[in-house]
Amino acid sequence: MPQTIVRTVLGDIDPAALGHTQPHEHLLIDLSRPLPSRSTVGERAIDNAPITLENHYRVRRRHTSEDLRLDSVDMAVAELRPYAEAGGSTVVDATSIGLGRDPHGLAAVSRRSGVHVVMGCGFYYRDYHPADVTTRDRDDLAAEIVSDVRTGVDGTSIRAGIIGEIGLSHPLHPEEEKVLRAACTAQRETGAALMIHPGRDPRSPGQALDIVIAEGVDPARVIMSHVERTVFSAPEMRAIASSGCYVEFDLFGQESSYYSLAPIDMPNDATRVDYIVDLIDGGYASQILISQDICHKTNLVRYGGEGYAHILEHVLPLMRRKAVSDAQIAQITVANPARALAFAG
């Protein structure tokens, strides 16, 4: 039987070596988009202004282009130090193609910080697709994803260890569906986990899972991200879990109800934990993952944010206060991500 491994940017490791793992973060990413052509000089200046105490709240609320770029290896290394000191061992960088994915940068971050880094592959949602996605067929896209996992990314020997995050909108764009089906092909061929970024609508996770199942992918190899900004009741959370997929609460640290990307009320960390407790009570403890999805400068400690250690320092004590046992915490933060990330090398 083939050996089971986790594929990091510095090579394959034993799943038992992962330790505390946050399976949905970003260390190096560029989510910025060009402003409309009619934007004024003043609007452009605000969009690229340095982040200060005076503008921090407004930047975090609006996510200016300056906020949307994490492009410094040195800063990523510095930001991971508190994470490692608090007990963090592994991070999944879920940055996919079109978002400035940087395999050499991630390898340098991992080497210098001592934190295992698992790199993503595949494509984000339609607004970030490279132009050629429109003309390529699903088999060609699948071949690129498979190559990223098996051979290396962008001509390097640095390999991806997870497929995703695969970005979807709602309604689902045909190009996104093509990408998702290509990712399913790649998942079946490689065995690597498939991480889905659902559209911002309660119907999106179910639609994505219907496609995944129709494509012959085992839901137990699928991670449904961002559930807490997508569905808003315990029964809906349980319905997603009942498919057999992993249910990922990955926006811990975002405590404001305001959400700039959709007209929803974002839950706070306490509510996220309440959802998790309900899933544990429902028998789904083995399918829960938690992370922070850090992808903005204002999430970083240097810019007054919560930093990658937020779960370790603040959320785990909150979980204990809400009667989540240490054994259940270890399952959610160590055992579950190790199982999700493992595949036959």
Side-chain angles (χ1 to χ4, degrees), residues 238-308:
R238 289 196 185 198
I240 294 172
S242 70
S243 74
C245 74
Y246 289 95
V247 179
E248 186 175 81
F249 297 85
D250 49 33
L251 298 170
F252 276 101
Q254 298 191 32
E255 294 274 32
S256 171
S257 63
Y258 175 74
Y259 184 61
S260 64
L261 298 173
I264 66 170
D265 295 330
M266 180 75 84
N268 60 19
D269 283 358
T271 304
R272 293 181 179 99
V273 174
D274 289 343
Y275 287 138
I276 287 169
V277 169
D278 181 79
L279 285 175
I280 292 171
D281 291 344
Y284 298 110
S286 64
Q287 295 168 236
I288 301 168
L289 299 171
I290 62 173
S291 205
Q292 297 177 216
D293 194 19
I294 286 181
C295 56
H296 308 124
K297 282 190 174 74
T298 50
N299 295 130
L300 303 179
V301 172
R302 177 170 175 174
Y303 291 94
E306 61 274 22
Y308 296 98

Side-chain angles (χ1 to χ4, degrees), residues 24-331:
H24 195 127
E25 305 294 348
H26 300 276
L27 300 168
L28 300 170
I29 187 170
D30 186 353
L31 284 162
S32 62
R33 304 283 295 161
L35 290 180
S37 59
R38 291 182 178 272
S39 299
T40 66
V41 171
E43 288 168 337
R44 293 175 187 275
I46 290 171
D47 193 51
N48 289 287
I51 300 169
T52 66
L53 281 174
E54 287 77 12
N55 69 9
H56 180 275
Y57 174 73
R58 188 163 297 194
V59 168
R60 179 151 183 160
R61 188 175 176 93
R62 296 183 179 179
H63 298 310
T64 61
S65 289
E66 177 63 21
D67 194 31
L68 293 170
R69 288 188 288 261
L70 300 182
D71 53 8
S72 168
V73 168
D74 289 344
M75 190 180 303
V77 172
E79 290 288 328
L80 279 179
R81 285 197 188 106
Y83 177 72
E85 290 168 358
S89 181
T90 303
V91 171
V92 173
D93 184 297
T95 304
S96 40
I97 298 167
L99 298 177
R101 185 181 55 167
D102 183 352
H104 285 300
L106 291 178
V109 170
S110 181
R111 192 176 295 112
R112 290 172 55 188
S113 68
V115 173
H116 300 302
V117 176
V118 176
M119 176 171 55
C121 62
F123 301 85
Y124 199 43
Y125 70 87
R126 179 69 183 90
D127 289 354
Y128 292 89
H129 284 181
D132 65 354
V133 169
T134 301
T135 58
R136 297 168 65 186
D137 64 29
R138 61 175 283 181
D139 290 340
D140 189 38
L141 296 172
E144 180 175 4
I145 297 170
V146 170
S147 178
D148 281 358
V149 174
R150 289 186 170 168
T151 305
V153 168
D154 297 336
T156 75
S157 61
I158 304 169
R159 297 182 289 180
I162 190 170
I163 299 169
E165 58 186 299
I166 301 299
L168 308 180
S169 304
H170 190 85
L172 181 64
H173 192 282
E175 296 301 321
E176 294 169 345
E177 181 174 349
K178 179 173 69 174
V179 164
L180 177 58
R181 292 185 185 275
C184 289
T185 299
Q187 193 290 316
R188 294 197 314 271
E189 186 165 342
T190 64
L194 169 60
M195 176 181 285
I196 295 173
H197 163 111
R200 297 177 179 92
D201 186 280
R203 293 166 288 185
S204 184
Q207 183 180 23
L209 287 165
D210 286 345
I211 292 170
V212 163
I213 292 168
E215 289 289 331
V217 173
D218 181 356
R221 299 302 298 146
V222 176
I223 300 169
M224 188 60 64
S225 303
H226 314 321
V227 292
E228 73 266 48
R229 64 87 165 127
T230 310
V231 297
F232 304 98
S233 71
E236 290 172 301
M237 302 283 183
R238 289 196 185 198
I240 294 172
S242 70
S243 74
C245 74
Y246 289 95
V247 179
E248 186 175 81
F249 297 85
D250 49 33
L251 298 170
F252 276 101
Q254 298 191 32
E255 294 274 32
S256 171
S257 63
Y258 175 74
Y259 184 61
S260 64
L261 298 173
I264 66 170
D265 295 330
M266 180 75 84
N268 60 19
D269 283 358
T271 304
R272 293 181 179 99
V273 174
D274 289 343
Y275 287 138
I276 287 169
V277 169
D278 181 79
L279 285 175
I280 292 171
D281 291 344
Y284 298 110
S286 64
Q287 295 168 236
I288 301 168
L289 299 171
I290 62 173
S291 205
Q292 297 177 216
D293 194 19
I294 286 181
C295 56
H296 308 124
K297 282 190 174 74
T298 50
N299 295 130
L300 303 179
V301 172
R302 177 170 175 174
Y303 291 94
E306 61 274 22
Y308 296 98
H310 173 71
I311 283 176
L312 284 155
E313 294 177 341
H314 305 294
V315 176
L316 300 192
L318 174 62
M319 292 174 75
R320 292 185 182 102
R321 179 169 69 80
K322 288 177 174 281
V324 181
S325 71
D326 285 344
Q328 290 165 333
I329 287 172
Q331 180 173 26

